Amino acid sequence: MLTIDLPFRTIEWKDRRLILLNQQALPEKLEYLEYTDYRKVIGAIKDLTVRGAPAIGVAAAYALSLASAEFLESVGKGYFKLMKKASEEIADARPTAVNLRWAVERITGLIKENADKPAEEIDKLVVREAKTIEREDVELCQKIGEYGAGLINNGDGVLTHCNAGALATAGIGTALGVIYTAAFSGKNIRIYSGETRPVDQGRRLTVWELAASGLDVALICDNMVASLLSAGKVDKVIVGADRIALNGDTANKIGTLNIAIIAKNYGVPFYVAAPYSTFDKRAKDGNDIPIEFRSGKEIVNKEKYEGIKGRIDVYNPAFDITPSDLISGFITDKGILNAGDISAKFV
Ligand code: MRU
């Protein structure tokens, strides 16, 4: 297996502290922030200091490890009640990426199974499980990269959206994991990244991480996708996902649906790369996926519009649902799947 070393670390657990690369500060500043209070980690998930479905799952697992240390020291017998409350608060930090709730439920399930043990022992299990979730994510990204790289031909143009890279996971990323694996195994590819309005994960994060890792990338504004594809410059689109329903309907960063529709029009294959933790057994189809709406301040500063009579409203969904019939395949840790394979593989 190809070893890919990238020049930054998104999430690290060190001496019972969580260290996050501050994604709000990129690309201007490479800054690492330290957390010892789980409530502050919830804040970091909400304000996108850490973002991307797998990364917020790992951060949530470590947030529970921080909560565990706090409650163990200060309360003793109230441990279970306080952990339950903390786990609910953490799981509610953002609604769309299912990896967040998945990681929290994995840890709360473990706490329940071991409820007869002393809290000190459970605390050790919680931290161990969080580390396992992180390590597993690294391996899942590697597998996705290997499977996906097989789809990329030498000379291909590949378009991605948002950031589904190392900044969005504990490993090399999902969509970008495919791109890194193809590029570092010697394939010559032209990489395009959409800017990803409103908070510019593509412009600030994807092009930074690819270029910092030694790859060339071309940035486009989101409204240039049709022009780029009509010019024949893209052979494959690869994006990540925040939640995939059993029928293959996929929630991902707002604008993904536009790209899928345009890709269909120009006959360009459109792939979704995601680990098993992003598939939601409880979601039958896209209607079961909750969409996060974020503050209009991400789009416009209303204070700049002084002295006008009318009201300026903002519509700001952070994600959209791409129906499965627009998706050519799912690049997963279990191989390349069609929508019809999902139930058999993940339920
Ligand atoms: O709002 P964000 O930045 O958390 O949205 C991230 C995305 O939409 C990613 O494409 C998705 O989480 C997959 S990350 C491997």
Side-chain angles (χ1 to χ4, degrees):
M1 207 173 252
L2 187 70
T3 309
I4 297 171
D5 282 321
L6 301 178
F8 58 92
R9 183 98 188 250
T10 302
I11 298 186
E12 200 175 352
W13 179 253
K14 218 173 171 182
D15 309 325
R16 263 212 112 127
R17 285 167 304 145
L18 177 64
I19 300 162
L20 297 175
L21 173 53
N22 180 4
Q23 301 196 33
Q24 284 192 322
L26 286 170
E28 284 85 6
K29 206 163 53 167
L30 187 64
E31 174 183 64
Y32 290 92
L33 303 174
E34 271 188 25
Y35 297 83
T36 49
D37 181 343
Y38 82 89
R39 298 163 197 85
K40 295 245 164 73
V41 180
I42 294 177
I45 293 172
K46 287 187 176 169
D47 71 15
L48 311 183
T49 296
V50 59
R51 32 67 49 206
I56 61 179
V58 176
Y62 283 130
L64 271 171
S65 306
L66 295 176
S68 177
E70 178 182 325
F71 300 142
L72 198 60
E73 276 173 17
S74 57
V75 206
K77 287 206 166 72
Y79 179 84
F80 291 103
K81 230 167 122 189
L82 288 163
M83 283 301 280
K84 188 165 183 293
K85 188 172 159 281
S87 61
E88 280 158 14
E89 285 165 18
I90 295 166
D92 285 344
R94 292 189 76 189
T96 303
V98 74
N99 308 59
L100 174 61
R101 194 160 282 277
W102 166 86
V104 169
E105 285 179 1
R106 191 159 151 175
I107 295 209
T108 50
L110 187 78
I111 295 175
K112 253 190 222 140
E113 275 166 34
N114 291 280
D116 56 330
K117 303 211 170 92
E120 286 77 9
E121 217 171 296
I122 298 174
D123 174 62
K124 283 199 187 102
L125 291 173
V126 168
V127 176
R128 201 171 70 190
E129 192 67 4
K131 286 183 182 167
T132 305
I133 290 172
E134 180 188 351
R135 204 179 45 243
E136 235 183 66
D137 191 49
V138 173
E139 290 163 9
L140 293 168
C141 289
Q142 244 174 346
K143 285 189 186 155
I144 290 168
E146 294 284 331
Y147 284 122
L151 296 169
I152 311 282
N153 298 319
N154 197 32
D156 270 357
V158 180
L159 169 68
T160 190
H161 184 60
C162 191
N163 174 272
L167 289 170
T169 64
I172 57 169
T174 57
L176 294 195
V178 172
I179 289 173
Y180 284 126
T181 310
F184 290 131
S185 61
K187 287 179 187 167
N188 180 23
I189 47 180
R190 290 185 322 279
I191 312 165
Y192 297 95
S193 168
E195 205 173 21
T196 320
R197 282 279 287 151
V199 294
D200 289 349
Q201 288 92 335
R203 182 184 60 76
R204 292 187 305 105
L205 306 178
T206 296
V207 300
W208 176 81
E209 84 155 80
L210 289 168
S213 306
L215 298 181
D216 297 340
V217 52
L219 179 65
I220 60 162
C221 297
D222 299 323
N223 54 4
M224 296 171 186
V225 172
S227 160
L228 187 75
L229 268 64
S230 74
K233 300 219 180 269
V234 173
D235 301 285
K236 269 124 210 167
V237 176
I238 309 180
V239 298
D242 284 82
R243 193 185 295 229
I244 303 171
L246 290 177
N247 74 338
D249 290 353
T250 294
N252 192 48
K253 179 53 55 190
I254 192 73
T256 302
L257 173 60
N258 299 37
I259 301 175
I261 293 169
I262 294 168
K264 181 88 167 182
N265 187 72
Y266 290 103
V268 174
F270 179 97
Y271 292 101
V272 171
Y276 80 94
S277 47
T278 302
F279 289 80
D280 183 2
K281 295 186 194 72
R282 296 170 189 151
K284 216 170 47 299
D285 58 36
N287 294 315
D288 294 332
I289 301 179
I291 297 294
E292 175 183 16
F293 278 75
R294 294 183 63 89
S295 165
K297 289 191 182 128
E298 288 185 342
I299 297 182
V300 69
N301 180 356
K302 291 186 194 170
E303 283 161 23
K304 289 194 175 169
Y305 296 73
E306 270 178 32
I308 48 170
K309 282 196 196 145
R311 209 182 55 217
I312 298 169
D313 282 332
V314 175
Y315 179 71
N316 186 20
F319 301 95
D320 54 29
I321 307 279
T322 300
S324 66
D325 61 345
L326 296 179
I327 299 170
S328 314
F330 297 86
I331 307 169
T332 78
D333 48 290
K334 296 185 178 14
I336 315 286
L337 307 180
N338 295 316
D341 303 326
I342 293 173
S343 290
K345 290 277 181 187
F346 296 109
V347 181

